[in-house]
Every structure is written in structure tokens, then in C-alpha cells.
Amino acid sequence: MTTFTDYILVCGGTGCRASQSEQLINSLKSAILQQGLQEKVQVLRTGCFGFCEQGPIVKMVPDNTFYVQVYPSDADEIVREHLVKGRKVARLLYTNPETKEHISDSKHMDFYKKQYRIALRNCGFINPENIDEYIARDGYVSLGKALTEMTPEEVIQEIKDSGLRGRGGGGFPTGMKWEITRKVVADQKYVVCNADEGDPGAFMDRSILEGDPHSILEAMAINGYCTGADKGLIYIRAEYPLAVERLKIAIAQATEYGLLGDRIFGTDFSFSIEIRYGAGAFVCGEETALIHSMEGQRGEATSKPPFPSEQGYKGQPTNVNNVETYANIPVILLKGAKWFSSIGTERSKGTKVFALAGKVNNVGLIEVPMGTTLREVIFGIGGGIKDGKKFKAVQTGGPSGGCLTEKHLDLPIDYDNLLAAGSMMGSGGMIVMDEDDCMVAVSKFYLDFTVEESCGKCTPCRVGNKRLQEILHRITIGKGEMEDLELLKNLGHVIKDTALCGLGQTSPNPVLSTMEHFHDEYLAHVVDKKCPSHQCRKLIHYYINAEKCRGCTVCARICPVHCITGERKVPHVIDTLECIRCGSCIEKCKFDAIYII
């Protein structure tokens, strides 16, 4: 048996794969072979490291050297310099943007050192396609403990005592949901994993499934033991092919090891898991719509009660939790409810995974204790706003959430604080916006999304959101009236109060929150017929400053609609009626002679 002394961990998540990490792995293996190190060094594919802005990422073990933005062409140098000569490749080390110093260990990077990883504990550390590596990090120990040392009631009580709440957005106490499902008497029960992640900019669940699939299988089996179910179903959108592939591998491995299937750990408990595919409908993230989709019906929500715990898949009691919720279960049983409940806030225990995206320097997947402030996330972990621009807003909770402003930066993140501020936790999307973003256009973007994704079953969502979208469209093209603002507000509240499911009930949040915090922008669009951020094309005009224009004719030649005229070495003029506001002229002008009003 070969005993390796060094390991090269390469991020194998979707983002890094799109940036040639698979080719990088092959190049590293070739370079190792060329140097005759194949008996000492092994290249391992892991899950997502989280620091997506700096990918592809390579981590050298055991010295923990962290290389960023590594490509196949860098493989020879890494092997030659780092492994053969014992010298770090300085140009591939992370550079602190403030101090400009190279940082070789991720533990000293602001992006990582302020995180606390529980759900993401194995992502970037193990090969997700090797069950032995999961087992080596205490994998399946919690399942064995639950089956051989605890009663179902004791396990449920441990989950209840931990304070874990559903990480899919609703925040319902997890242990209570398990307890309700257990108490319902039925011959057949089901455990469902909701992996239908559809928020724009969100990739939390996908990364966990790609980087640590066995943790989800283990948690689902524990759930089955507690609730009396012997069948598990993972509902995942077919748009996640890598996650699906790794789940299939994990299920096959766990079954081969006897960790799924009949008489697990020699007990009377049997549990199997199947994968069901979704077609990418956002509404199927709602549990009743998800269940209907799995049954082969239209993905439409139904009113509750009855809840799925009482009457779900095929009319049987069904316990539905999302990926991140399950990812916490094995650790809670391993370390205890007291340990988990010591993290976070009074009513929101543990940590939360966020997909930090938008106009922030450090885009990536992060996990922080509940109660961490937005300022710490955006300016600490996120490294602040790109290009030195001014922070304007952050959208939490995806299309269902609201936009929070500078006055909310010191708000501790938890379920209750975000709701009180007019937003919500959601599944964990967090999109940062800067001074160049138009908040009216942002709210319209989210309304466009929810209108497209509505199942159409209830009138408030089907018709009401369409009317909201039409009003916002009028405002962004300069045809809005003052009464439209009152109509937006009233209609938004009516939809929230009367829609059937969470999609409709929360869809007006982006509109209502931006109207509250950025009312002056709405007034500018309606009264002045101007977009202060210069994002709404119909409300901006391009002009040429005659004092700066040298008459070089570049703008006239690049204009796709030929609306710029003028003689050579003479100031040019833009026909604003013909101008399509594409921005080509500004991009090419070398004299900053073109401006927008």
C-alpha cells in the first residue's frame, strides 16, 4: 500500500470546474509523474473551498499553502518549485488587498478566519466521491450512535434542545417537525430532502451536495429512524448535474458499506434513498409544490393544513427538510445540543451559510454564526465593495427578501432581526449592491423573476404580481404617475396577506422594502423622469461635451445606429431621439467627452 507524504487538494466544485480545475488536476498529475513523485504525492479532488472569487484553488498538505487563481499552465511550476525545491510560488499566493502582503495559509485570510464552519465542515477537505474520507472525519458515527445508543424520542429531543431551525427559509424548529411526523400513525412514511435551490445568485445547497453528500445521506437516515420512515427521497433540480452525480456515487457507496439498505448497523432499522429530479421551477422549493412535482403532478402549492408531516407524498406522512438543515444534524448528535445551542443568538442557534455575491470583493460561499452583523459579512469577510464604490444595499433572502441599507449594517443576522427589518433569511442568498445600482430596477428584476416562476394557482400571485410588474415597468420607462406609488404599496400588502404560498406572500418584499428605504429614487423616476443611477435606459440621455470633444470620429464610427454626427476635428453631436443608449460611445471615447444625464 502506497503511503503518501504530500497531498494536493484541488477544488472540484462547479465554479472551479468551469475554470479548468479538471484540466488542472490532470496537469498536476502529469507534472508529478514527470518528476518521479507519484509514490509520494497524491492529487485529490475536493468540494468547494468557498472562495469562489479566487478560484481555481489549490491547497498543499501538510503545510497548508493556499494557492489561488491556479490554471493548468501553473502545474509544472507548483510541482517543481513547491514539491521539488521546497519554495512557495509567491505569484500564486493570495495577496491582501490592503497591505499587499502575500498570505500563504487560509487561516490568516479575513475571508476564512471570521467564519465558523459546521454545515460546510467537510467541503474542501475531503474527496466527496470517497466514503472512506467521510468516515475518517467521523462520518456515520452519529447514525451508529442514534441506532445503537438512543431511542427515536431521545434523538428528537436532542435536535429540539439544539435549537436548530429550518435553513430553507421558513425557520420552523427542526426537532418539532420531526416530532410531529413521528406522532402520526401510518404504515408508510417518507423523508424528503429539498435540494431545489432556485434563488438568483444562490449556490449553498449545491456546494454542500457536491462537497459532502454523505452528510446529507446520514442525516436523512437519522430522520427516518426518528420519524418511522424507511424511504428517503432527494428532490434536486436537474440543472445540478455534478451534485446529482456525486449523490449517486455516495448512495451506491453507502449501500455497499451497509450504511443504507436493510438492517443498518445490525439493527431492525432499514432505510433506502432515491433521487427525484425537478425541472428548475422556483415554486417547487415550497414543500407542497415539491411533493406534487415528485408525484408527477403540476408543481403547485396547496393550502395548509394538512401539513406534509400529516399528509404529504402519496398522501402519507412526509418530513421535508432542506440540504443545509440536514448538514447540521450529524454534528449536533456528535457534539451535543448544548454545544450547538451555545452558538448564535437566543432564538436563532448555530450558523448560517450564505452565498455572498454582487458588488463585493470576495464573492463566495461563507458560513458564520447567527448574530454576525451585516457589516462583518460585507466588509470583513467580503472585503468591502468593488472598485472602492460606496455601499448602497444588500438583498437577503433572494426574491422573497428585502433590500437593507447602510443603517442596517450593524444588524445582527438572525431570523427575527431580518424579518423586523423588512427582509428575511431565506435560504441564504446575499447580493450586495453599490452606488451604481438603481433600486427601482432591482425591484423590477425580482418581480420579473417571481412573475415568471409563479405557478399561477392563486389570483393574488398570478394577477397581483403581474400588475406590480406592469407598474414598475411604466415607472422605469418614464410613464409612471404619482398614484402608481400608492398603488404599488397597497397592492403589495394585499398580495402578502392573501397569496396561497410563501412565493406569493413574500414576492412584494423587494418592492416594499425599496420603496421604504429609497423613496427618493421612485420620486425621481416618476416626477423628474430621471434615473439617478443611470440604469434605466429610457430615462437617461447621452451628450457630448463640445469643450472636450476632439472630433476624432471614433464614437461616430462605433455607434451601431449612426446617431452621432460631426466633421473630423470638430465637436460631434448625438441625436438623443435616435440614440439607443448602448454605451458603446462612452466605452470607446478616450477624452471623457461623453456624459449621461
Side-chain angles (χ1 to χ4, degrees):
M1 181 178 178
T2 303
T3 302
F4 297 103
T5 59
D6 291 270
Y7 297 88
I8 303 179
L9 308 184
V10 181
C11 177
T14 293
C16 284
R17 280 169 69 103
S19 298
Q20 298 184 298
S21 68
E22 287 299 304
Q23 295 92 320
L24 172 60
I25 290 172
N26 293 331
S27 296
L28 285 167
K29 288 180 178 178
S30 296
I32 288 168
L33 187 63
Q34 188 175 8
Q35 294 290 342
L37 300 174
Q38 62 272 20
E39 299 297 321
K40 295 181 179 181
V41 184
Q42 185 178 23
V43 180
L44 297 175
R45 179 188 297 104
T46 72
C48 179
F49 281 88
F51 207 171
C52 305
E53 184 76 15
Q54 297 294 328
I57 290 172
V58 167
K59 188 172 184 178
M60 311 297 286
V61 177
D63 69 355
N64 290 322
T65 299
F66 196 85
Y67 290 127
V68 300
Q69 297 181 356
V70 185
Y71 295 96
S73 58
D74 300 315
D76 287 335
E77 186 177 2
I78 289 175
V79 173
R80 186 179 63 254
E81 292 294 316
H82 191 107
L83 295 176
V84 177
K85 299 180 181 179
R87 302 187 299 213
K88 299 186 192 303
V89 183
R91 69 180 183 84
L92 296 176
L93 295 174
Y94 174 74
T95 304
N96 185 308
E98 295 180 356
T99 64
K100 305 303 179 185
E101 66 173 327
H102 292 312
I103 302 176
S104 63
D105 192 332
S106 58
K107 294 178 182 177
H108 303 302
M109 298 177 188
D110 288 341
F111 181 81
Y112 284 108
K113 69 183 182 182
K114 297 185 179 182
Q115 294 189 46
Y116 191 163
R117 295 192 157 204
I118 298 177
L120 299 177
R121 63 194 177 278
N122 291 326
C123 293
F125 288 95
I126 66 171
N127 178 356
E129 298 179 12
N130 188 333
I131 189 173
D132 293 327
E133 294 195 21
Y134 178 70
I135 291 173
R137 288 176 65 88
D138 297 322
Y140 291 105
V141 171
S142 294
L143 176 59
K145 178 181 178 181
L147 295 182
T148 61
E149 300 177 18
M150 305 173 73
T151 66
E153 290 81 6
E154 288 173 336
V155 177
I156 290 174
Q157 189 60 50
E158 192 78 3
I159 302 303
K160 289 174 68 176
D161 291 344
S162 73
L164 176 66
R165 296 171 64 174
R167 298 300 197 246
F172 190 83
T174 304
M176 187 180 297
K177 180 181 280 191
W178 290 22
E179 186 174 57
I180 293 170
T181 310
R182 175 169 179 78
K183 288 180 178 179
V184 179
V185 178
D187 294 333
Q188 180 66 62
K189 296 182 182 180
Y190 295 93
V191 168
V192 171
C193 174
N194 180 353
D196 188 66
E197 181 178 52
D199 292 14
F203 49 97
M204 300 78 61
D205 292 352
R206 186 197 72 202
S207 296
I208 293 174
L209 291 172
E210 291 177 356
D212 191 17
H214 282 285
S215 66
I216 307 306
L217 306 186
E218 180 178 10
M220 290 178 68
I222 294 170
N223 187 341
Y225 171 66
C226 293
T227 58
D230 63 358
K231 294 186 185 299
L233 302 167
I234 300 176
Y235 183 84
I236 181 169
R237 49 182 52 210
E239 298 161 337
Y240 283 179
L242 182 58
V244 169
E245 177 187 343
R246 290 181 177 168
L247 277 172
K248 286 180 177 178
I249 293 171
I251 291 171
Q253 291 176 342
T255 303
E256 181 185 351
Y257 275 51
L259 300 169
L260 288 178
D262 297 330
R263 299 183 59 79
I264 301 173
F265 283 105
T267 67
D268 293 332
F269 175 66
S270 300
F271 192 77
S272 62
I273 295 178
E274 298 177 10
I275 299 176
R276 298 294 171 84
Y277 301 107
F282 179 64
V283 71
C284 287
E286 196 278 335
E287 57 185 4
T288 61
L290 178 153
I291 289 169
H292 292 149
S293 179
M294 289 200 304
E295 293 172 336
Q297 302 179 46
R298 286 175 60 90
E300 293 181 331
T302 52
S303 58
K304 295 179 280 191
F307 293 91
S309 290
E310 303 163 316
Q311 187 176 328
Y313 182 66
K314 294 184 177 180
Q316 302 300 321
T318 304
N319 193 105
V320 183
N321 290 118
N322 90 316
V323 171
E324 187 186 339
T325 308
Y326 281 125
N328 284 282
I329 298 297
V331 196
I332 291 174
L333 290 189
L334 197 64
K335 295 190 176 183
K338 187 176 181 181
W339 164 81
F340 189 83
S341 63
S342 68
I343 305 164
T345 64
E346 184 178 353
R347 296 189 60 187
S348 299
K349 304 297 185 181
T351 58
K352 182 71 188 78
V353 179
F354 291 99
L356 185 61
K359 306 287 186 65
V360 67
N361 282 310
N362 299 333
V363 170
L365 193 70
I366 68 169
E367 184 172 2
V368 294
M370 293 282 194
T372 303
T373 66
L374 287 168
R375 188 184 301 278
E376 289 175 290
V377 169
I378 297 169
F379 291 92
I381 297 172
I385 310 303
K386 281 186 175 180
D387 303 321
K389 296 289 183 69
K390 184 179 178 182
F391 168 81
K392 188 170 189 177
V394 57
Q395 173 86 5
T396 67
S400 303
C403 290
L404 303 178
T405 66
E406 193 170 13
K407 71 179 182 181
H408 298 108
L409 282 175
D410 294 312
L411 182 77
I413 302 169
D414 67 13
Y415 291 98
D416 305 305
N417 285 337
L418 289 178
L419 282 174
S423 188
M424 64 184 297
M425 184 78 72
S427 58
M430 186 177 287
I431 300 179
V432 179
M433 288 161 271
D434 67 13
E435 58 192 87
D436 293 334
D437 287 297
C438 170
M439 303 314 294
V440 183
V442 166
S443 64
K444 181 180 177 297
F445 166 80
Y446 283 112
L447 250 295
D448 290 344
F449 179 84
T450 50
V451 167
E452 178 71 21
E453 295 295 335
S454 172
C455 75
K457 185 175 182 179
C458 74
T459 303
C461 186
R462 183 183 70 250
V463 180
N465 278 324
K466 184 64 177 175
R467 298 292 88 81
L468 283 181
Q469 182 193 37
E470 290 168 352
I471 297 169
L472 286 170
H473 176 69
R474 289 203 302 270
I475 292 174
T476 55
I477 64 172
K479 296 183 178 180
E481 304 293 340
M482 282 301 295
E483 53 264 30
D484 285 333
L485 300 183
E486 192 65 27
L487 186 56
L488 274 177
K489 191 179 297 185
N490 291 339
L491 185 53
H493 286 297
V494 169
I495 295 170
K496 284 176 66 72
D497 292 340
T498 57
L500 177 62
C501 79
L503 185 149
Q505 292 163 5
T506 58
S507 58
N509 283 346
V511 181
L512 296 174
S513 64
T514 53
M515 287 191 72
E516 178 182 354
H517 302 307
F518 300 96
H519 190 66
D520 57 330
E521 288 197 29
Y522 280 86
L523 287 176
H525 282 68
V526 171
V527 178
D528 302 327
K529 308 300 181 187
K530 291 182 179 180
C531 176
S533 302
H534 300 153
Q535 297 298 313
C536 299
R537 285 192 175 186
K538 295 291 185 180
L539 299 183
I540 59 176
H541 298 286
Y542 285 66
Y543 289 94
I544 293 178
N545 186 332
E547 295 181 1
K548 290 186 175 182
C549 181
R550 305 290 182 84
C552 69
T553 74
V554 170
C555 60
R557 284 184 276 120
I558 201 70
C559 179
V561 293
H562 309 294
C563 70
I564 303 178
T565 57
E567 298 294 328
R568 192 170 182 80
K569 296 185 179 182
V570 175
H572 285 36
V573 177
I574 297 177
D575 184 342
T576 57
L577 295 178
E578 294 295 324
C579 177
I580 61 172
R581 306 162 183 88
C582 65
S584 298
C585 54
I586 288 184
E587 185 179 335
K588 295 296 181 180
C589 181
K590 297 178 181 179
F591 308 104
D592 294 325
I594 305 174
Y595 60 99
I596 303 173
I597 63 169

